[in-house]
Amino acid sequence: MNTMTLPPSAESKPIREIAYETLKRAIITGEIPAGARIVETDYADRMHISRTPLREALRKLERDGLVEYVMRRGVVVRAFTIADVNEIYTIRNSLELLTLPNIVENATPEDIAELRDLLSQMDEYEKNGDIEHLSPLARAFHTRLTSISGQRRILRVIESQDEYIRRFSAIAIAKENRRQSAHQEHHQLVDLVEQKDLEGFTALMKKHIERSKETCLLALKESKLAQNG
């Protein structure tokens, strides 16, 4: 049996919170796959904790919709549905749009230079079709862009949704017809921020993030049809 080590917490969080975050991350990344059972005694042993904080962590995961209690099976990891992904993207995109005026207002030449440096790295990976390296950089680009807003509370909520988005963004980026146009839009977004063009930036960002959502949902639907066929 593999040991699932709880990371050290600099903030002295309660064990139940650390257990919750560890399990949540493992479920979102697929380390604990959909359909897997989480047996309390097994996971308490693996994580070197008592069953009480583990049970509290599982209740919180159930509220998140990541696990469910199934008759005669116990706690089971839920598969992400199309509706789940649609909701996650809708929340994430709505929050990102709230940051746009502050991004345009706050962006410095140093911010623009950092964004262009990220884009130059992405240029090579996009040209070579290297999705494995392009996907995390695309997420890093959006994270860096929204961070310019300085809206800490909104950014914290966006970050909580980004955990889910990372799992699906590679699916959207892998779509070649969308990948090239999305990367061109990244360059255009930086140009518009540098020009302090809020209207143009907002219009393009709305189109950009909505198309990303639609591409991901389409790819997921095609994947599910293939699995069922």
Side-chain angles (χ1 to χ4, degrees):
M1 182 186 295
N2 294 329
T3 298
M4 180 173 285
T5 306
L6 297 186
S9 173
E11 301 173 11
S12 300
K13 292 180 182 177
I15 292 295
R16 64 178 180 274
E17 285 299 316
I18 303 173
Y20 162 74
E21 290 171 5
T22 302
L23 289 169
K24 179 181 178 183
R25 190 176 304 109
I27 291 169
I28 291 172
T29 60
E31 182 184 341
I32 305 176
R37 292 178 63 219
I38 299 182
V39 180
E40 286 184 11
T41 51
D42 291 347
Y43 274 81
D45 288 344
R46 291 173 65 176
M47 301 171 81
H48 303 296
I49 60 176
S50 70
R51 292 173 65 181
T52 298
L54 178 63
R55 196 171 293 128
E56 292 170 348
L58 291 174
R59 278 198 289 266
K60 194 168 180 181
L61 290 168
E62 184 184 23
R63 289 196 295 272
D64 288 346
L66 293 175
V67 303
E68 58 186 337
Y69 284 82
V70 178
M71 187 73 70
R72 290 189 292 277
R73 290 199 66 202
V75 181
V76 177
V77 176
R78 284 185 67 240
F80 284 98
T81 65
I82 298 295
D84 290 332
V85 178
N86 183 55
E87 184 177 13
I88 289 163
Y89 265 98
T90 299
I91 293 168
R92 173 65 175 74
N93 290 357
S94 298
L95 291 168
E96 187 161 358
L97 291 175
L98 293 175
T99 68
L100 304 190
N102 289 82
I103 291 172
V104 170
E105 182 180 348
N106 295 345
T108 66
E110 291 76 19
D111 292 324
I112 299 299
E114 281 189 43
L115 290 168
R116 292 204 190 283
D117 182 57
L118 270 173
L119 288 173
S120 68
Q121 296 176 56
M122 292 164 66
D123 287 339
E124 281 301 309
Y125 294 131
E126 197 284 323
K127 185 169 65 177
N128 298 326
D130 187 343
I131 308 302
E132 183 180 352
H133 289 94
L134 182 61
S135 179
L137 278 177
R139 293 311 318 153
F141 171 83
H142 277 275
T143 299
R144 181 68 188 91
L145 186 61
T146 54
S147 73
I148 296 170
S149 72
Q151 295 177 285
R152 292 192 300 268
R153 290 179 180 83
I154 293 177
L155 291 172
R156 280 199 296 270
V157 184
I158 287 176
E159 185 180 355
S160 72
Q161 298 303 309
D162 272 350
E163 291 181 283
Y164 299 94
I165 294 293
R166 286 188 196 102
R167 178 165 179 174
F168 310 118
S169 60
I171 297 172
I173 290 172
K175 284 278 189 180
E176 187 173 356
N177 60 336
R178 174 61 189 145
R179 186 180 73 235
Q180 294 174 350
S181 59
H183 186 57
Q184 290 171 359
E185 287 168 6
H186 288 149
H187 280 279
Q188 293 165 9
L189 287 167
V190 176
D191 291 340
L192 291 166
V193 172
E194 186 174 34
Q195 296 159 13
K196 302 292 184 182
D197 182 353
L198 177 58
E199 185 177 351
F201 179 53
T202 301
L204 181 57
M205 182 63 86
K206 281 182 178 178
K207 182 177 77 170
H208 179 78
I209 59 181
E210 188 60 29
R211 282 184 180 174
S212 177
K213 168 185 167 182
E214 290 170 358
T215 303
C216 180
L217 289 172
L218 179 61
L220 283 171
K221 287 173 184 174
E222 290 173 352
S223 174
K224 286 182 182 293
L225 285 172
Q227 289 171 9
N228 295 333

